[in-house]
Amino acid sequence: MAGIYIHIPFCYSRCSYCDFYKTTDQTLKSDFLEAICDEIILNASFFKDNQISTLYFGGGTPSVLSLQELQSIFNCLSDFVNLSELDEITMEVNPDDVSEAYIQGLIELGVNRLSMGIQSFFDAHLRKMNRRHNAKQAINAVEIAKKSGINNISIDLIYGLPYMTFDEWKKNVKMALDLKVEHISAYHLTIEKGTPYYDLLKKGKLTEINEEDSEQQFEYLVSKLEEAGFSNYEISNFAYGKLISQHNSNYWTGKKYLGLGPSAHSFDGKKRKWNISHLSKYNEQLKGKQKYWDEELLSDTDIYNERIMLGLRTLKGFNSDFIKRVNNDIKSFFEQELVQQIKLGNIEKDDVYYRVPKSKRFITDRIISDFFYIDE
Ligand code: SF4
């Protein structure tokens, strides 16, 4: 099984926390659509050699594209992939791009899962994040999508916002549950270099929240969502019933994926490849049949560290069979660390999987970093 990721790099505005590659310049759209088609054609062998099960449109804001523009991408892909046979086609949408006609068009294209960046149900928070939508639009967007027949909707929330009280977070969790969506992704705010929030942080105009408050918000989120029947199948992701994100789950279990579009990453089991993070250069390089990516062959250490990181973030855990395949240095390091972490109560094991117990989920990233192997 393999996945396709398509990065749509356009946004109408820049959110204050966002460090994804994007541009607010819409003039390069038609060149981009041509370049994406060229990139699809150049990767014909990937489609021939792999059974594709998922397609994911991320960004940027994929819903900046009109239905006709999206149709042109689907047309190019359908020369290589039988899109009607895919298990999951996800599209990220911004709430204020949602209308009945747009969702109907997406369904006709084959989209069967939506991921909506809601982030908060408080307009004051949304304004501070420079989001385009307001809370009312977010609620309407979910209702429209449900009425149109999409029965696999994911919403994104952000916690750890410096200006959000615990009571407001509780209300956000309640509002999310009241929407009765099938999937919730909740990410802690991280302030990355190059974002407006980073500048505010440096100027002392924004402070990060303390660890106790972060933990309180995380524990509340997990307890309320689990109580409502959601499974915390990955540290930041919650699924109702079986409706996990298949695309991301394949990524977390080391399956192959092809990333198309500027800044998109690909993985073929051994090599990581990343496209140039510059829209006009990406378009020009593809037009001129020039190289538009960089790549590296992953070492044993790279693959081990990545599998530890992705595996321990999931409820299922890290597959112990993987350790049989690594070199002796990594194996003995892992085994020594495992003894320590089990003693500390940070790791539990069933027949096959090592996992972080529920009581230690908040410190998962710290546990993972202890397992990272560094080459001498
Ligand atoms: S969060 Fe999404 S909508 Fe906002 S700037 Fe980033 S990619 Fe664009």
Side-chain angles (χ1 to χ4, degrees):
M1 292 293 174
I4 307 169
Y5 171 80
I6 301 188
H7 190 82
I8 309 296
F10 305 103
C11 291
Y12 287 124
S13 54
R14 288 170 190 273
C15 303
S16 315
Y17 54 86
C18 175
D19 74 333
F20 294 135
Y21 176 68
K22 74 269 175 191
T23 173
T24 51
D25 177 0
Q26 314 293 321
T27 58
L28 293 171
K29 257 194 207 166
S30 61
D31 287 349
F32 164 75
L33 291 171
E34 270 180 41
I36 276 284
C37 249
D38 290 343
E39 199 185 1
I40 289 169
I41 295 165
L42 282 173
N43 283 285
S45 62
F46 184 88
F47 305 120
K48 197 161 123 282
D49 299 343
N50 294 287
Q51 194 188 339
I52 311 295
S53 62
T54 61
L55 169 61
Y56 191 106
F57 288 86
T61 311
S63 54
V64 159
L65 295 186
S66 67
L67 291 170
Q68 289 78 0
E69 287 164 338
L70 284 166
Q71 177 80 63
S72 72
I73 300 177
F74 276 79
N75 287 348
C76 294
L77 269 175
S78 60
D79 287 340
F80 301 94
V81 183
N82 186 347
L83 295 170
S84 65
E85 284 182 355
L86 301 193
D87 295 332
E88 185 186 271
I89 302 182
T90 303
M91 186 155 139
E92 291 179 356
V93 291
N94 224 38
D96 56 338
D97 293 326
V98 169
S99 67
E100 266 177 53
Y102 194 72
I103 299 294
Q104 204 47 53
L106 294 183
I107 294 172
E108 280 160 24
L109 286 172
V111 172
N112 56 12
R113 183 172 185 272
L114 294 182
S115 173
M116 251 184 236
I118 288 181
Q119 318 310 357
S120 172
F121 294 96
F122 286 87
D123 288 344
H125 300 166
L126 294 167
R127 278 194 296 272
K128 284 198 163 89
M129 287 186 258
N130 201 31
R131 296 289 302 177
R132 270 194 290 143
H133 69 276
N134 59 36
K136 198 167 169 227
Q137 284 173 311
I139 295 163
N140 284 343
V142 172
E143 294 308 334
I144 288 171
K146 281 164 103 175
K147 265 195 216 133
S148 307
I150 298 259
N151 53 15
N152 194 352
I153 300 172
S154 178
I155 62 171
D156 285 358
L157 294 179
I158 296 188
Y159 64 105
L161 293 168
Y163 37 77
M164 179 172 70
T165 65
F166 185 47
D167 273 348
E168 287 171 338
W169 176 236
K170 284 171 153 176
K171 281 188 191 135
N172 270 341
V173 173
K174 183 178 180 315
M175 296 285 282
L177 287 171
D178 286 350
L179 285 177
K180 303 242 174 294
V181 290
E182 290 75 23
H183 192 278
I184 297 173
S185 299
Y187 300 98
H188 194 288
L189 175 72
T190 48
I191 301 181
E192 306 285 354
K193 221 172 173 177
T195 63
Y197 272 0
Y198 187 81
D199 297 338
L200 290 177
L201 187 76
K202 288 289 136 198
K203 287 180 192 149
K205 292 185 177 164
L206 193 75
T207 44
E208 290 177 282
I209 71 166
N210 64 46
E211 190 158 323
E212 291 76 49
D213 290 344
S214 290
E215 184 167 2
Q216 187 187 36
Q217 292 180 17
F218 176 75
E219 296 300 347
Y220 182 82
L221 169 81
V222 174
S223 72
K224 283 291 158 191
L225 265 53
E226 286 187 341
E227 200 179 292
F230 281 80
S231 158
N232 185 197
Y233 71 106
E234 197 268 350
I235 191 93
S236 305
N237 288 279
F238 300 81
Y240 193 75
K242 293 195 169 128
L243 290 172
I244 60 170
S245 163
Q246 295 182 49
H247 182 84
N248 288 338
S249 296
N250 285 344
Y251 163 65
W252 296 324
T253 47
K255 306 276 186 332
K256 294 177 188 178
Y257 54 90
L258 173 69
L260 304 166
S263 82
H265 282 55
S266 305
F267 176 62
D268 70 359
K270 291 181 186 138
K271 239 185 311 165
R272 171 148 339 283
K273 192 173 147 194
W274 56 97
N275 288 354
I276 189 166
S277 292
H278 193 292
L279 179 59
S280 54
K281 283 187 189 154
Y282 168 83
N283 292 345
E284 282 158 21
Q285 304 286 88
L286 271 145
K287 200 170 190 172
K289 303 198 187 323
Q290 307 284 310
K291 194 173 167 209
Y292 57 93
W293 75 90
D294 265 316
E295 62 188 5
E296 66 173 342
L297 190 64
L298 297 181
S299 66
D300 271 8
T301 302
D302 295 331
I303 294 177
Y304 160 82
N305 285 340
E306 184 161 303
R307 293 296 292 276
I308 276 282
M309 180 182 74
L310 298 174
L312 288 181
R313 285 177 63 91
T314 64
L315 183 64
K316 198 169 180 185
F318 170 72
N319 191 330
S320 60
D321 287 341
F322 177 76
I323 286 300
K324 295 177 192 155
R325 306 201 297 270
V326 297
N327 67 44
N328 287 338
D329 290 344
I330 296 177
K331 191 185 285 175
S332 67
F333 165 80
F334 174 79
E335 282 163 359
Q336 276 173 33
E337 192 56 42
L338 186 64
V339 172
Q340 294 302 317
Q341 296 293 341
I342 289 176
K343 231 186 252 170
L344 292 167
N346 289 345
I347 291 289
E348 58 188 22
K349 184 181 184 284
D350 62 19
D351 289 349
V352 183
Y353 289 92
Y354 297 107
R355 68 177 65 86
V356 176
K358 193 176 170 190
S359 60
K360 299 292 178 94
R361 235 179 267 170
F362 180 69
I363 58 162
T364 298
D365 286 341
R366 221 175 297 154
I367 298 168
I368 288 170
S369 68
D370 288 341
F371 273 106
F372 280 159
Y373 183 75
I374 298 165
D375 286 317
E376 294 288 305

